[in-house]
Amino acid sequence: KVFQSSYLDKVGFGVGYTKEQSQKSVDFKIIIPLNITGKNEKKIASLMSLRDAAIRKEQILQERLKLNAKAASEKIRKIQDLILSSQQSELQYKSLYEMTKKGFDGGALSLFEFLASKNRYFEALSKTISYKKEYVLEIARLEESVARIIR
């Protein structure tokens, strides 16, 4: 009994009686599998371990994807907010530039004041363009990282 439970999967015994016209016999059958080393159990344990590791790896990957997606979403949202505020300041500098242009054309303002307002307007334009460029680059990085993960 101890030998059977520790090394063998199952042991089978059978007794039968054959009755035919040409033959009458009692048959005995014993089934003893020769799995003394326990290889199958070790293989099954190894495969189960690999399966559990694959499941855990998938769970970790899903958590990492969620965190990365959340961080990327927040970063993109911040860049969008920067673009909106930059566009608002751009509109303000544009209106100020147009007023100083009229003042300069009318002779009420000096060339220095006119050029200073013009420079501030172009700096605001440049800042808006750089934020838009940063937004496009961030979207491209995000698409590339998602494509690498999906492959």
Side-chain angles (χ1 to χ4, degrees):
K1 181 96 176 163
V2 172
F3 184 77
Q4 175 188 1
S5 65
S6 62
Y7 291 105
L8 302 175
D9 290 337
K10 59 181 157 173
V11 176
F13 298 100
V15 178
Y17 177 71
T18 304
K19 182 178 178 183
E20 295 180 6
Q21 287 185 354
S22 63
Q23 176 185 2
K24 290 183 183 178
S25 64
V26 176
D27 300 322
F28 295 98
K29 187 175 184 181
I30 299 174
I31 299 172
I32 302 173
L34 296 175
N35 184 13
I36 297 173
T37 61
K39 285 184 183 177
N40 288 338
E41 288 81 12
K42 290 179 183 176
K43 284 182 183 178
I44 290 171
S46 173
L47 290 174
M48 295 296 277
S49 157
L50 289 173
R51 183 191 65 136
D52 292 343
I55 290 171
R56 183 66 187 138
K57 185 177 178 181
E58 181 181 349
Q59 290 172 345
I60 290 171
L61 181 63
Q62 287 176 353
E63 289 298 319
R64 204 171 103 205
L65 280 174
K66 286 179 187 176
L67 289 174
N68 287 347
K70 185 176 180 182
S73 167
E74 289 176 8
K75 188 170 185 178
I76 288 173
R77 195 173 304 117
K78 285 180 183 177
I79 294 173
Q80 287 173 339
D81 291 342
L82 287 172
I83 289 172
L84 289 175
S85 67
S86 178
Q87 286 175 337
Q88 290 172 352
S89 67
E90 177 186 325
L91 290 175
Q92 291 173 350
Y93 283 122
K94 183 178 181 180
S95 66
L96 181 65
Y97 164 68
E98 289 172 354
M99 285 191 289
T100 55
K101 184 177 180 183
K102 289 178 184 176
F104 176 72
D105 290 341
L109 293 175
S110 68
L111 180 63
F112 178 74
E113 291 170 325
F114 169 69
L115 290 178
S117 69
K118 186 175 182 179
N119 283 339
R120 283 192 296 263
Y121 171 60
F122 286 131
E123 285 173 8
L125 278 174
S126 174
K127 190 179 283 189
T128 302
I129 291 170
S130 68
Y131 286 144
K132 287 180 179 180
K133 179 182 175 185
E134 183 180 348
Y135 176 79
V136 168
L137 290 175
E138 188 62 32
I139 293 291
R141 268 188 246 128
L142 181 63
E143 288 176 352
E144 181 182 344
S145 65
V146 168
R148 265 190 267 125
I149 291 171
I150 289 175
R151 275 192 234 160

